Amino acid sequence: MIMLSAAGVRRRLIGAGLGLLRASGVPRLAAPVTRGLGAILMFHHVRPWKQTAFAPNRGLEITPEFLDQTIEAVRARGFDIVSIGEAVERTRRGEPGARPFAVLTFDDGYRDNLDFALPVLRRREAPFTLYVTTGFADRTARLWWVELEEAIRRLDRLEAVAGGRTFSESLATDFEKSRVFNELYWHLRAGPEEELLAVTGELAERARVLPDRVAERLCMDWDDLAIFAREPLCTVGVHTLSHPMLARRSPAVVRAELRYSKAIIEAKFGEPAVHLAYPVGDPTSAGPREFTMARELGFASAVTTRKGMVFAEHAQHLTALPRLSINGGFQTLAALEVLLSGAPFWLSNRGRRLNVA
Ligand SMILES: [Zn+2]
């Protein structure tokens, strides 16, 4: 018997949906309408595949081979791979009938981007953007979702209280670990960030997972990042100081997170840093207040994790750009082709081109 977590079932259903959609031939036919001006692709980790049953953050990784295939497939579909700055220009011009663009973006500043992504990007001469969280490079910000994964991997019971709910669960098997991770993760994501950090911090401590070691192991330091700053293919972008879900913080915190992370990156590398990615980036983490603030603080673009293609209408909303997540759950070129057609978002957004409220 194959047991799947709720997320696994959802992934399979979406996978099947993409397959059916592709088989229907609709994406290819509809692409000129649904594809818009182009797409901004989102990546996190790029590293060799490690087979493990408990891998709840798998959605944040692809293999170097799949990155290579993605670049090839994107170009074979007629997309120009361009820098985020060039994509902003093309969106402003909004020429109908122009070749579509694709932007490759990498969030957080993972060390594997240096080891595994950069060689591929250089070999393919593909421009890309690296969004840096300064606190990860400084080892002061917390990758709480990794802390939670590692704590659950090590513990054989979960005892936690969050948002008035008591969790008392066995973590004896990988199946239990996956189920409990998903439940606790989404429960914490829905609540205040202070509690999320407190609960994951407490579990990490109990499991002897050290937050600064997690950042040290997974994220680049400033010397590593300098390699990207010197790389002509790379645009270094901003991804805040501490990776908070901004929409839940006070205006003063949001302003400080955006302004100081921008200033630090500019001081380190001596170049203007005018492109931003909102941490987490869903509607509960970045909304109209953040879109306005980013513009006021001098960002030329800002990307969310709302799904969709870029249309000419986005010229008025350059700090609320959608992205397509290319992740471990969908490492097939068939799925990529359907995503690049824009058809799934056209359907789910019911023909609306903008999702900026
Ligand atoms: Zn991030």
Side-chain angles (χ1 to χ4, degrees):
M1 188 168 80
I2 297 169
M3 297 225 265
L4 286 172
S5 63
V9 170
R10 202 175 133 258
R11 217 164 34 237
R12 290 207 170 193
L13 284 175
I14 295 171
L18 289 178
L20 284 176
L21 197 51
R22 178 166 182 262
S24 74
V26 168
R28 195 179 285 273
L29 292 171
V33 177
T34 56
R35 192 177 58 192
L37 298 172
I40 305 173
L41 310 187
M42 170 174 66
F43 306 92
H44 288 85
H45 293 283
V46 178
R47 59 191 176 194
W49 183 264
K50 225 165 78 188
Q51 187 54 44
T52 43
F54 176 61
N57 288 305
R58 188 71 96 188
L60 298 176
E61 69 176 274
I62 61 162
T63 64
E65 294 75 27
F66 192 66
L67 175 63
D68 193 55
Q69 290 170 11
T70 298
I71 293 170
E72 192 178 17
V74 163
R75 285 180 169 152
R77 299 267 164 294
F79 286 74
D80 295 333
I81 297 180
V82 303
S83 68
I84 184 75
E86 164 91 19
V88 165
E89 284 314 306
R90 289 191 185 201
T91 304
R92 284 213 178 98
R93 287 202 300 272
E95 276 169 43
R99 281 167 63 88
F101 64 75
V103 184
L104 311 178
T105 67
F106 298 81
D107 287 17
D108 301 336
Y110 293 114
R111 193 186 295 278
D112 53 48
N113 291 182
L114 175 60
D115 297 336
F116 298 106
L118 189 58
V120 173
L121 294 159
R122 280 181 173 157
R123 183 154 34 79
R124 292 281 186 185
E125 295 182 46
F128 65 97
T129 304
L130 182 76
Y131 292 114
V132 172
T133 297
T134 60
F136 291 157
D138 288 332
R139 314 323 189 193
T140 52
R142 289 176 47 200
L143 296 109
W144 58 265
W145 58 98
V146 181
E147 294 173 23
L148 184 62
E149 173 180 342
E150 296 198 353
I152 287 180
R153 181 172 292 120
R154 291 181 188 199
L155 295 170
D156 50 22
R157 271 206 79 73
L158 175 87
E159 305 290 345
V161 179
R165 184 169 156 194
T166 303
F167 288 82
S168 178
E169 311 273 353
S170 162
L171 298 172
T173 65
D174 286 337
F175 179 72
E176 286 174 334
K177 287 179 193 291
S178 299
R179 184 181 58 75
V180 171
F181 178 97
N182 278 319
E183 242 169 74
L184 184 58
Y185 175 96
W186 289 109
H187 184 70
L188 290 171
R189 272 276 302 264
E193 199 161 44
E194 291 79 3
E195 184 176 61
L196 180 160
L197 292 172
V199 171
T200 50
E202 201 182 300
L203 288 172
E205 195 178 316
R206 210 177 303 156
R208 297 183 206 288
V209 173
L210 302 172
D212 53 338
R213 290 288 167 78
V214 172
E216 205 176 285
R217 186 162 52 76
L218 292 178
C219 298
M220 291 190 271
D221 62 19
W222 290 105
D223 287 341
D224 298 327
L225 292 169
I227 298 169
F228 284 84
R230 286 194 300 268
E231 170 58 55
L233 291 168
C234 180
T235 303
V236 177
V238 175
H239 199 41
T240 73
L241 299 169
S242 71
H243 206 272
M245 292 186 255
L246 293 167
R248 314 196 191 173
R249 296 303 186 90
S250 72
V253 168
V254 178
R255 198 165 289 119
E257 283 278 346
L258 298 184
R259 176 180 285 160
Y260 295 127
S261 56
K262 183 176 191 292
I264 289 168
I265 289 171
E266 289 177 343
K268 292 272 185 195
F269 302 130
E271 296 269 354
V274 295
H275 301 285
L276 169 71
Y278 304 104
V280 187
D282 66 326
T284 72
S285 307
R289 182 188 68 173
E290 288 66 40
F291 305 155
T292 302
M293 228 182 259
R295 203 171 49 232
E296 286 169 359
L297 288 169
F299 287 100
S301 80
V303 294
T304 65
T305 58
R306 298 176 190 223
K307 294 173 178 47
M309 310 299 282
V310 179
F311 292 95
E313 287 86 341
H314 283 106
Q316 303 304 317
H317 301 276
L318 288 167
T319 54
L321 295 174
R323 285 195 287 178
L324 307 186
S325 172
I326 306 297
N327 71 52
F330 307 105
Q331 289 192 55
T332 72
L333 293 176
L336 178 72
E337 186 184 337
V338 175
L339 291 178
L340 287 175
S341 75
F345 321 111
W346 189 263
L347 293 176
S348 61
N349 292 332
R350 298 197 195 120
R352 267 186 318 148
R353 294 170 157 215
L354 290 175
N355 173 10
V356 296

